[in-house]
Amino acid sequence: MAVPDTVAARPGATPSPPTGRTPRRPRRPDAGYWLYLLPGAALFLLVIGGPLVYTGYLSLTKWSGVGDPSFIGLDNYRTLLTDDVFWTSFTNTIAMIVAMVVLPTLIGLVLAAVLFDTIGRRFRPRTAAALRAAFYLPQVLPVVVAGIVWGWILRPDGALNGLLDAIGLGTLSHDWLGDPDTALPMVMAVMIWVQLGYPVVVFMAALERVNPELYEAAEIDGAGWWRRFRAITLPQIRPETFVVGLTCTIAAMKVFGPIYALTRGGPENATNVPSYFAYFTFFKRLNVGYGSAISMVLTLIIVVVAVLFIRAQNRAERRDGGI
Amino acid sequence: MAVTLTPPRTGGRTRRVPDRHHRGVTRWIVLALVTVAALVMLVPFAFMLLNAFKSPGDYSTNGPLSWPTEFYTTGLRTYWEQVDFPVKLWNSILISGSVAVLAVVVSLLSAYALGIGRVRGRLWIIGLFLLANMLPQEALIYPLYHFAKEAGLYNTRLAVIIIFTVIQAAFGTYLLASVLSTFPRPLLEAAALDGAGKWRILWRVVLPNVRPTISVLLVFFFIWTWNEFLIPLVMLIDNQTQTIPVALASLQGDRLMDAPTTNAGALLSLLPAILFFLVFQRTLARGITAGADK
């Protein structure tokens, strides 16, 4: 989601209509509009700006939440550098990006193309819409609910082991979330299930924009499915791919609810992520300064990633001569 | 970048390319594969449904895959009473509904100044709002928790409403500002010539024109807030204030729930979401592409 070019491109000096008032001195045409920004700005400072700055300050202190914070400079950040849990949690973020961005986007691209190009055009549109709804359904429910259902499915007495028993693979039964070796892959699988519908729906909507004659012409020229996918589908939906990539990457770096519901970061931190680590440090270990430092590092990384994404997107657009 | 609300499907106009290459079989195979994939997505729901109506005894003897031996609703009732479900439902509705309305109002006011008023520095301001929406909530949570305690708002729904109004409005401002920046100027000028002030123009000219975008935002703010977890988890600690996801998760945390009750609880908790999904499917499909389209 880049800052919209349409806003950037318009010169601000659009002549404004006569307001009826006779200004004593020349005023900028936008003068009176500031008033409308006040409620939003005030609330922003109260709920976001102020707290963020305060967290920044707290990250430089030692504080348990009662009494006064004592200033300790960069000590928290120095401790972070040698904290294994911190490094594990950030490594797990990469796993989350694979599970919430890379795989859903790739699978979603193919699914959307198949649903649109093959099923949508060769069967009734209703068929494609119904299938799309099935993929999208996990996106609507609260992730915590999804986490709890999956937590039960993966329990030792849960449905997955029951299923394995039923098909004669009972020897594979496992405490899927309780074993450090399988917990992370299982959490990743759940996240793919949760996330998949989002790219499918966005990409399918994007494809509706594409002129169907493009596909028909390509087909008459003898282009197979794969050619059409590469030459038409992919380039046409690139803007959406950026948006999906950016929003999902940020969601992956912030992921909290599913981890809380599935594993609470365990076993042995195998599924810990920065968000959960910060939450735990704030409210269970009562180490507010350290928790703030974790949050600040995470914030910084998210901002950097977002800026890089937006830049890459703008560059790609300029290369295409603007869209 | 406009919120291109996906054009209504032109249902009857799907032109079929004549199958020249005997694609008859291939397309059926593709359909079968995708259908299987879609069914796999639904399997967890089926498991949940199957086990929500079992007695704990039935579950422990026959396992999670068997058909329930009787139609057992005590699990549902236990969960309903144990968490005081109607209260949780009301809390979720109250919080999400208030946030949706308030956030839309705040977004519209800010976006009016940014998109139509083009106040100085608007690009920075929009960037700042966008950033606010991307921030991890952990970076705000402790100060918010602390301030809420000082202000006597801790464990109140009002605290959560205020916080999410701002977080959602940050996104709404970004989106609406970009929509309003392409607002037809002649319309504004004509209204101004007729003597309408800024306030009047906002409500009488701008608002009616962006109503579709606003309805999308309302639905999304409602759902996003409904599904939020971290801030309600921290802010709402007792039975009278908690939302549905928090209630479900905190029960599960006790590890006291047997499998059927877990499933009954999950089923009850996702019913409102599914209902909402069915009612607003169209708006959702439109809305999810809002901001994605160029």
Side-chain angles (χ1 to χ4, degrees):
Chain A
M1 273 182 285
V3 174
D5 305 86
T6 38
V7 177
R10 292 283 179 92
T14 320
S16 81
T19 51
R21 267 178 289 154
T22 42
R24 261 174 293 129
R25 58 208 149 97
R27 299 178 88 185
R28 275 181 58 89
D30 62 20
Y33 286 103
W34 275 107
L35 232 58
Y36 292 86
L37 202 53
L38 276 182
L43 282 167
F44 178 89
L45 288 179
L46 181 76
V47 172
I48 293 171
L52 183 64
V53 171
Y54 197 52
T55 302
Y57 163 71
L58 288 177
S59 74
L60 305 173
T61 67
K62 189 170 171 49
W63 193 37
S64 67
V66 284
D68 290 324
S70 63
F71 189 82
I72 54 166
L74 292 173
D75 274 8
N76 285 324
Y77 292 93
R78 256 178 241 123
T79 315
L80 272 182
L81 286 177
T82 54
D83 183 344
D84 286 341
V85 182
F86 173 78
W87 288 106
T88 310
S89 74
F90 273 89
T91 320
N92 288 344
T93 296
I94 296 170
M96 287 301 134
I97 290 176
V98 171
M100 292 175 67
V101 190
V102 180
L103 295 175
T105 307
L106 291 178
I107 305 170
L109 271 173
V110 175
L111 269 176
V114 167
L115 281 172
F116 185 82
D117 188 15
T118 308
I119 293 173
R121 294 193 305 135
R122 295 207 158 70
F123 296 89
R124 281 190 303 161
R126 261 172 183 275
T127 316
L131 290 167
R132 181 184 63 180
F135 288 108
Y136 190 63
L137 198 55
Q139 276 275 302
V140 234
L141 45 128
V143 281
V144 177
V145 178
I148 279 164
V149 172
W150 275 101
W152 158 72
I153 290 178
L154 298 171
R155 256 159 57 162
D157 68 335
L160 180 59
N161 285 340
L163 200 63
L164 287 172
D165 271 337
I167 56 172
L169 291 172
T171 46
L172 293 177
S173 284
H174 209 73
D175 182 1
W176 298 100
L177 292 173
D179 177 343
D181 290 332
T182 52
L184 187 61
M186 287 299 139
V187 170
M188 289 172 73
V190 173
M191 293 321 294
I192 295 173
W193 180 82
V194 169
Q195 284 290 102
L196 186 59
Y198 176 64
V200 170
V201 169
V202 173
F203 293 154
M204 277 185 78
L207 288 172
E208 276 176 21
R209 219 184 35 197
V210 181
N211 185 350
E213 277 158 28
L214 228 56
Y215 281 99
E216 284 162 23
E219 215 170 336
I220 288 163
D221 289 347
W225 189 86
W226 180 243
R227 285 282 320 244
R228 296 202 299 273
F229 180 68
R230 290 207 32 198
I232 304 173
T233 307
L234 284 187
Q236 289 287 341
I237 61 179
R238 202 167 58 199
E240 282 80 5
T241 316
F242 267 109
V243 173
V244 167
L246 176 64
T247 49
C248 293
T249 304
I250 289 172
M253 290 192 287
K254 298 201 289 194
V255 67
F256 175 81
I259 299 295
Y260 184 95
L262 282 168
T263 61
R264 311 234 162 148
E268 297 162 32
N269 290 313
T271 60
N272 210 342
V273 290
S275 280
Y276 186 79
F277 185 34
Y279 167 83
F280 186 79
T281 310
F282 279 133
F283 297 104
K284 304 293 167 193
R285 279 166 55 187
L286 302 178
N287 194 344
V288 180
Y290 199 54
S292 301
I294 302 165
S295 310
M296 290 313 286
V297 173
L298 180 61
T299 306
L300 195 71
I301 294 176
I302 288 180
V303 170
V304 169
V305 168
V307 169
L308 289 179
F309 247 103
I310 290 170
R311 277 209 175 162
Q313 183 183 19
N314 286 341
R315 215 173 14 240
E317 267 165 31
R318 233 171 293 135
R319 206 172 44 227
D320 292 347
I323 296 173
Chain B
M1 143 130 207
V3 183
T4 312
L5 301 166
T6 313
R9 279 165 172 279
T10 39
R13 222 177 45 84
T14 40
R15 271 178 275 163
R16 293 190 197 179
V17 181
D19 295 325
R20 292 159 300 116
H21 303 298
H22 301 288
R23 286 164 185 281
V25 184
T26 327
R27 67 180 181 149
W28 286 104
I29 295 174
V30 171
L31 180 67
L33 284 176
V34 177
T35 307
V36 168
L39 288 178
V40 169
M41 294 294 283
L42 300 180
V43 163
F45 295 101
F47 277 147
M48 181 186 58
L49 215 53
L50 192 63
N51 288 283
F53 299 102
K54 270 183 200 168
S55 69
D58 183 3
Y59 182 83
S60 58
T61 32
N62 297 322
L65 294 188
S66 67
W67 199 252
T69 50
E70 52 170 326
F71 189 69
Y72 182 85
T73 52
T74 315
L76 278 174
R77 226 174 310 140
T78 312
Y79 182 79
W80 183 283
E81 282 158 12
Q82 208 173 341
V83 306
D84 219 340
F85 195 75
V87 174
K88 304 293 148 69
L89 186 65
W90 169 240
N91 288 338
S92 278
I93 293 173
L94 180 72
I95 291 174
S96 309
S98 315
V99 167
V101 173
L102 292 172
V104 160
V105 172
V106 174
S107 307
L108 184 63
L109 291 175
S110 309
Y112 186 50
L114 296 165
I116 287 186
R118 302 180 183 288
V119 297
R120 212 178 316 186
R122 66 179 179 282
L123 277 185
W124 285 103
I125 299 172
I126 291 173
L128 213 61
F129 276 119
L130 190 57
L131 187 74
N133 197 257
M134 296 191 298
L135 282 179
Q137 290 171 359
E138 296 73 39
L140 313 171
I141 190 66
Y142 207 89
L144 289 175
Y145 164 81
H146 191 65
F147 295 158
K149 278 198 159 169
E150 305 266 293
L153 288 174
Y154 180 61
N155 197 21
T156 64
R157 289 162 297 196
L158 181 61
V160 178
I161 292 173
I162 296 174
I163 294 170
F164 282 117
T165 295
V166 183
I167 292 179
Q168 312 295 25
F171 178 78
T173 301
Y174 157 76
L175 196 73
L176 271 178
S178 74
V179 171
L180 289 185
S181 70
T182 61
F183 197 87
R185 291 272 145 190
L187 229 56
L188 300 174
E189 282 154 26
L193 278 178
D194 287 346
K198 291 193 176 73
W199 183 250
R200 229 181 127 75
I201 290 180
L202 172 58
W203 298 109
R204 291 294 162 79
V205 181
V206 175
L207 176 64
N209 275 289
V210 291
R211 198 160 277 156
T213 312
I214 293 217
S215 65
V216 167
L217 284 181
L218 274 174
V219 171
F220 267 77
F221 290 166
F222 187 90
I223 294 191
W224 288 342
T225 310
W226 187 283
N227 291 352
E228 277 291 346
F229 184 60
L230 171 69
I231 287 176
L233 174 74
V234 171
M235 287 287 177
L236 306 173
I237 46 156
D238 77 39
N239 269 324
Q240 291 312 303
T241 58
Q242 277 174 353
T243 58
I244 288 176
V246 178
L248 184 65
S250 49
L251 252 197
Q252 179 246 12
D254 298 339
R255 301 273 171 205
L256 287 174
M257 267 204 297
D258 53 277
T261 313
T262 303
N263 282 295
L267 179 63
L268 274 179
S269 307
L270 65 79
L271 278 183
I274 291 191
L275 206 68
F276 209 71
F277 172 63
L278 293 175
V279 174
F280 288 100
Q281 212 189 353
R282 257 149 205 253
T283 322
L284 280 167
R286 269 189 296 154
I288 200 166
T289 60
D293 273 334
K294 278 270 157 188

